[in-house]
């Protein structure tokens, strides 16, 4: 039987509605705000419009007030969001809140759900996810030093985190802390806690300045922060598992938005090449420039197929880690290459701040670090390939075997 690539009508409908909303409402409002300012008020109004249009929290179940879309439909919706600056925020499906909503939906008790998830889905509060630390490698969460000590029916958290996106202005954080230093396997050492940001001892030190400017990626010190037993999310020693469950779909959600960013960069590349006169023709006549277009188009196409397949696996409840790793690595690097090519084709303009491309490139650089650095994914992918050959004598199950 042939594979049917026709999109289901509900997915098509969601994509069309989000595309029209982004093109007719969000993009023009952002263009206006870029010249006139008024970002805070502008985004608040856009969020109200999105809610009224039934385009709110697309990734959340309808009983929680969302659109109830699965990962496959979200691939299309997020790519549309990625074509604007903060389209995902307008629909309330931006990082890290989107990943935190999934995490709470999966792990929260009824009480935690009502207290934290409900206002998050309603867009009344924001949240953050605190795992990475300056002193130890973020690529190895078993080394986390932030620790929680038991004190009666409470826990006392001490430690140091950084690059905690969205911390300033958030109401609560999901914090990964070591509770069982001697646990075997080491993956059982950490526990996730929901911590209110106004808790005494939760001290935001600074917003770390990055090559893309201030992005509300904060350094935080936990100084004797007391939380009750009921603040544990997903069970004691389950911090690593929670991170894994969270990171699969959250990684893919990043990829989906990056596809929208890359589409935009490629469109700018092509438009510039078609419009730039030289040697009695235009830049687009040159085969070296056409090669950049063709390579970018192929990489973008492969990215879309990889993301869709990984989303399909998640939606069907099948193993997805290898495919998500491959998609994440490919999409992050594809975004970097296409944005870089677009700058090249724009010449000096691309390098200047007159064009949005230099900013897009600075933002794109983080894609190769967040949610697993390139090398972490490459070594995991290679390990799975070796295991497949050792155990099956074939690479099939480590190279998207569901496809063939
Ligand atoms: C913009 C931005 C936003 C972020 N937001 C958050 C957030 O909200 N919450 C949060 O907890 N964290 C966040 N992070 C942190 C991010 O998750 C970490 O940067 C990432 O996990 C890598 O950890 P590290 O920076 O400690 O690098 P390290 O773990 O020290 O790794 C440094 C480098 O070593 C190499 N490396 C690592 N492992 C291997 C390996 N197995 N084999 C070969 N080479 C390897 C890679 O080149 C890697 O880049 C954010 C980071 C950025 C840049």
């Amino acid at each position: 039987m042939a594979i049917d690539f026709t999109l289901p009508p509900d997915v098509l409908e969601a994509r069309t509605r989000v595309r029209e909303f982004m093109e007719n409402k969000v993009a023009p409002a952002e263009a206006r705000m870029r010249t006139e300012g008024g970002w805070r008020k502008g985004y608040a109004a856009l969020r109200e419009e999105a809610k009224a249009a039934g385009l709110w929290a697309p990734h959340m179940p309808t009983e929680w007030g969302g659109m109830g879309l699965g990962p496959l439909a979200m691939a299309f919706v997020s790519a549309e969001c990625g074509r604007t600056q903060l389209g995902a925020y307008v629909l309330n499906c931006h990082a890290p809140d989107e990943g935190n909503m999934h995490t709470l939906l999966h792990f929260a008790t009824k009480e935690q759900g009502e207290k934290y998830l409900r206002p998050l889905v309603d867009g009344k509060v924001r949240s953050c996810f605190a795992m990475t630390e300056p002193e130890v490698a973020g690529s190895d969460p078993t080394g986390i030093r932030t620790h929680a000590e038991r004190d009666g029916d409470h826990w006392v958290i001490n430690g140091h985190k950084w690059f905690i996106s969205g911390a300033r202005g958030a109401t609560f954080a999901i914090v990964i802390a070591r509770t069982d230093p001697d646990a075997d396997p080491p993956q059982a050492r950490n526990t996730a806690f929901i911590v209110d940001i106004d808790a005494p001892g939760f001290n935001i030190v600074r917003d770390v300045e990055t090559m893309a400017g201030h992005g509300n990626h904060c350094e935080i010190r936990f100084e004797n922060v007391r939380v009750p037993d009921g603040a544990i999310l997903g069970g004691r020693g389950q911090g690593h598992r929670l991170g894994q469950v969270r990171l699969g779909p959250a990684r893919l959600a990043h990829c989906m938005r990056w596809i929208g960013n890359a589409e935009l960069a490629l469109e700018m590349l092509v438009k510039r090449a078609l419009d730039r006169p030289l040697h009695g023709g235009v830049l687009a006549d040159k085969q070296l420039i056409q090669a950049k277009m063709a390579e970018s188009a192929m990489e973008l196409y492969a990215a879309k197929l990889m993301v869709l397949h990984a989303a399909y696996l998640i939606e069907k409840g099948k193993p997805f880690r290898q495919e998500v790793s491959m998609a994440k690595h490919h999409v992050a690097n594809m975004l970097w290459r296409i944005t870089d090519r677009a700058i090249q084709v724009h010449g000096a303009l691309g390098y200047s701040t007159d064009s949005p491309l230099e900013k897009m490139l600075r933002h794109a650089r983080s894609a190769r670090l967040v949610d697993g650095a390139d090398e972490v994914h490459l070594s995991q992918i290679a390990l799975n390939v070796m295991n497949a050959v050792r155990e099956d004598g074939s690479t099939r199950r480590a190279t998207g075997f569901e496809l063939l």
Side-chain angles (χ1 to χ4, degrees):
M1 196 178 76
I3 297 175
D4 187 358
F5 281 102
T6 317
L7 295 184
D10 56 327
V11 175
L12 263 178
E13 197 226 326
R15 178 172 73 172
T16 305
R17 287 173 62 214
V18 172
R19 180 175 289 176
E20 285 173 357
F21 189 78
M22 292 297 148
E23 283 176 359
N24 301 332
K25 303 281 182 188
V26 181
E30 287 184 340
R32 208 171 39 247
M33 292 187 283
R34 261 192 281 278
T35 51
E36 295 170 12
W39 293 95
R40 192 181 288 264
K41 231 172 116 189
Y43 277 123
L46 283 170
R47 278 162 71 94
E48 285 310 317
E49 275 195 72
K51 235 181 206 174
L55 298 175
W56 189 252
H59 57 297
M60 288 302 285
T62 47
E63 57 270 32
W64 281 90
M67 289 171 72
L69 302 183
L72 209 52
M74 276 309 291
F76 294 98
V77 165
S78 301
E80 296 302 327
C81 292
R83 296 176 59 89
T84 62
Q85 197 171 318
L86 282 184
Y89 172 69
V90 171
L91 303 196
N92 199 23
C93 59
H94 55 292
D97 285 346
E98 190 238 13
N100 284 348
M101 285 185 226
H102 276 304
T103 307
L104 288 167
L105 189 66
H106 197 95
F107 291 99
T109 60
K110 201 164 182 302
E111 202 186 339
Q112 288 170 335
E114 286 307 320
K115 186 170 175 192
Y116 295 103
L117 180 55
R118 181 78 60 196
L120 195 58
V121 181
D122 289 347
K124 293 189 176 129
V125 303
R126 290 196 290 98
S127 65
C128 60
F129 187 81
M131 185 154 91
T132 307
E133 306 184 352
E135 294 84 5
V136 290
S139 308
D140 177 13
T142 61
I144 280 175
R145 289 191 190 163
T146 296
H147 52 97
E149 310 294 338
R150 219 188 158 92
D151 181 18
D153 56 1
H154 277 67
W155 293 83
V156 181
I157 305 176
N158 280 285
H160 191 193
K161 302 277 183 189
W162 78 341
F163 276 90
I164 308 310
S165 304
R168 216 180 274 284
T171 299
F172 68 91
I174 298 175
V175 179
I176 306 296
R178 200 183 60 209
T179 47
D180 299 270
D182 303 322
D184 188 20
Q187 283 78 6
R189 287 177 191 160
N190 299 330
T191 298
F193 293 88
I194 307 178
V195 182
D196 293 329
I197 280 184
D198 60 5
F202 190 114
N203 297 323
I204 296 181
V205 180
R206 61 176 174 139
D207 177 354
V208 181
E209 187 165 0
T210 69
M211 62 192 283
H214 286 288
N216 198 2
H217 308 297
C218 296
E219 178 180 351
I220 300 172
R221 285 204 182 268
F222 295 83
E223 286 157 331
N224 294 319
V225 177
R226 279 180 75 79
V227 292
D229 246 344
I232 289 182
L233 180 62
R236 183 171 172 171
Q238 295 296 306
H240 187 83
R241 195 171 75 87
L242 180 136
Q244 293 304 314
V245 169
R246 179 181 192 279
L247 273 178
R251 273 175 183 148
L252 208 60
H254 268 316
C255 294
M256 296 162 182
R257 291 187 286 266
W258 293 335
I259 282 177
N261 300 164
E263 274 184 353
L264 215 57
L266 181 54
E267 280 160 17
M268 290 173 73
L269 183 160
V270 176
K271 281 181 191 156
R272 180 72 178 176
L274 286 169
D275 287 348
R276 190 70 166 164
L278 86 170
H279 301 154
V282 288
L283 206 46
D285 299 335
K286 308 288 182 194
Q287 286 183 338
L288 285 172
I289 300 299
Q290 290 172 9
K292 290 188 203 306
M293 294 179 193
E295 276 161 10
S296 301
M298 288 187 290
E299 288 174 13
L300 192 50
Y301 177 43
K304 289 178 181 178
L305 290 179
M306 288 170 96
V307 166
L308 283 179
H309 185 231
Y312 162 86
L313 294 175
I314 294 178
E315 193 150 316
K316 295 288 175 198
K318 294 173 185 285
F320 58 76
R321 288 190 60 189
Q322 175 79 338
E323 286 76 7
V324 167
S325 272
M326 291 194 284
K328 199 273 169 178
H329 183 280
H330 177 77
V331 177
N333 284 273
M334 168 284 305
L335 173 64
W336 174 253
R337 284 192 297 268
I338 293 181
T339 314
D340 180 60
R341 285 182 198 127
I343 288 179
Q344 191 68 16
V345 169
H346 279 71
L349 172 64
Y351 188 64
S352 79
T353 54
D354 286 2
S355 153
L357 283 165
E358 62 82 31
K359 189 173 175 197
M360 287 164 69
L361 189 80
R362 286 186 285 115
H363 276 284
R365 188 62 186 82
S366 70
R368 295 179 49 209
L369 295 167
V370 294
D371 287 354
D374 277 359
E375 292 80 357
V376 174
H377 289 292
L378 288 176
S379 46
Q380 195 55 49
I381 293 164
L383 190 67
N384 288 332
V385 173
M386 288 188 280
N387 285 343
V389 170
R390 276 194 202 108
E391 288 158 28
D392 305 347
S394 153
T395 57
R396 224 170 271 141
R397 77 171 149 98
T399 51
F401 84 117
E402 282 288 333
L403 289 170
L404 291 172

